[in-house]
Amino acid sequence: IAGITQAPTSQILAAGRRMTLRCTQDMRHNAMYWYRQDLGLGLRLIHYSNTAGTTGKGEVPDGYSVSRANTDDFPLTLASAVPSQTSVYFCASSQDRAQDTEAFFGQGTRLTVV
Amino acid sequence: AQSVAQPEDQVNVAEGNPLTVKCTYSVSGNPYLFWYVQYPNRGLQFLLKYITGDNLVKGSYGFEAEFNKSQTSFHLKKPSALVSDSALYFCAVRDARVDSSYKLIFGSGTRLLVRP
């Protein structure tokens, strides 16, 4: 079934540890995104990628890094996790180079940093 | 810079009554506007979008939204609410300029509660 797959679904992580959240899509979408969802703050854009090989910073990029080596994968890395990074993380993608296309979302990764 | 405001944290409505969830936006160029719905412990699902043309856009599950350029608003509406419409609703905007990025910016969300 076509779509976006995120892994893991949930994770408890010790502060200071490194963690990579995985995101894979099989729709051949060019644009991909990482958001975090926090109560009362909605979805905030962390990083995005317009196409393979390019990335850009969103609203809250500090403490996170991304790479886009190919079209399908867009991993998000927390180099040294802190408790404020406890959140639900959503990966999304949108089709081709058209800015009027909607984004499709994964099911989310619930991350708790202790 | 793009931004979206959803002024209401929660909207309460009785089943069968019309509902409105408000959204205003700010973007440098013309906007592409989107509404998404999120059910508990799920990802976001696309409802509808405004690209160009008719200001009234119809979407999934009987929802519609009205684009008002002068008021920079894109309010979500439904003529008759169902209990099953209870969920979290997000408005989002993207800058339509050809040279802009694909950044999609969301509002803080509005919880819709439809009581029987």
Side-chain angles (χ1 to χ4, degrees):
Chain A
I1 298 176
I4 297 182
T5 303
Q6 290 184 236
T9 6
S10 66
Q11 181 76 44
I12 299 174
L13 184 67
R17 298 296 294 268
R18 180 184 180 90
M19 172 81 189
T20 295
L21 307 185
R22 300 184 299 279
C23 175
T24 299
Q25 52 104 356
D26 60 3
M27 297 175 283
R28 306 303 293 171
H29 286 175
N30 275 331
M32 295 188 75
Y33 316 83
W34 274 106
Y35 292 90
R36 58 178 289 173
Q37 182 177 21
D38 303 289
L39 193 63
L41 298 174
L43 275 80
R44 292 180 292 169
L45 182 64
I46 305 171
H47 286 286
Y48 67 97
S49 169
N50 286 349
T51 189
T54 69
T55 62
K57 293 181 179 180
E59 302 166 279
V60 289
D62 294 344
Y64 305 95
S65 63
V66 290
S67 61
R68 188 86 185 278
N70 57 61
T71 297
D72 298 343
D73 301 301
F74 191 44
L76 176 75
T77 297
L78 288 67
S80 179
V82 295
S84 61
Q85 291 178 311
T86 293
S87 187
V88 181
Y89 291 85
F90 286 101
C91 180
S93 70
S94 61
Q95 189 174 12
D96 292 326
R97 298 184 182 277
Q99 289 148 302
D100 62 353
T101 56
E102 61 270 26
F104 293 82
F105 282 77
Q107 293 301 297
T109 294
R110 185 174 295 276
L111 180 67
T112 303
V113 182
V114 297
Chain B
Q2 301 152 242
S3 67
V4 176
Q6 292 182 243
E8 303 153 315
D9 290 336
Q10 183 161 314
V11 169
N12 298 305
V13 65
E15 187 172 34
N17 283 0
L19 69 88
T20 298
V21 182
K22 295 179 181 177
C23 169
T24 59
Y25 66 90
S26 174
V27 69
S28 297
N30 287 323
Y32 291 143
L33 294 155
F34 304 82
W35 275 102
Y36 288 81
V37 60
Q38 185 182 33
Y39 297 101
N41 301 313
R42 302 291 299 275
L44 274 70
Q45 297 176 29
F46 168 74
L47 274 180
L48 52 78
K49 64 182 177 183
Y50 170 81
I51 304 304
T52 187
D54 241 347
N55 288 344
L56 186 64
V57 177
K58 294 188 184 295
S60 308
Y61 312 120
F63 283 94
E64 56 191 29
E66 186 165 14
F67 170 65
N68 187 319
K69 187 171 184 176
S70 63
Q71 296 185 4
T72 61
S73 67
F74 189 55
H75 301 331
L76 181 70
K77 300 180 180 185
K78 187 172 182 181
S80 179
L82 299 172
V83 173
S84 57
D85 292 331
S86 298
L88 192 54
Y89 290 82
F90 290 97
C91 181
V93 68
R94 185 187 277 139
D95 193 325
R97 289 178 298 176
V98 171
D99 60 347
S100 69
S101 77
Y102 297 104
K103 280 197 292 186
L104 185 60
I105 301 299
F106 283 81
S108 56
T110 298
R111 185 165 301 284
L112 174 65
L113 183 60
V114 182
R115 58 185 185 277

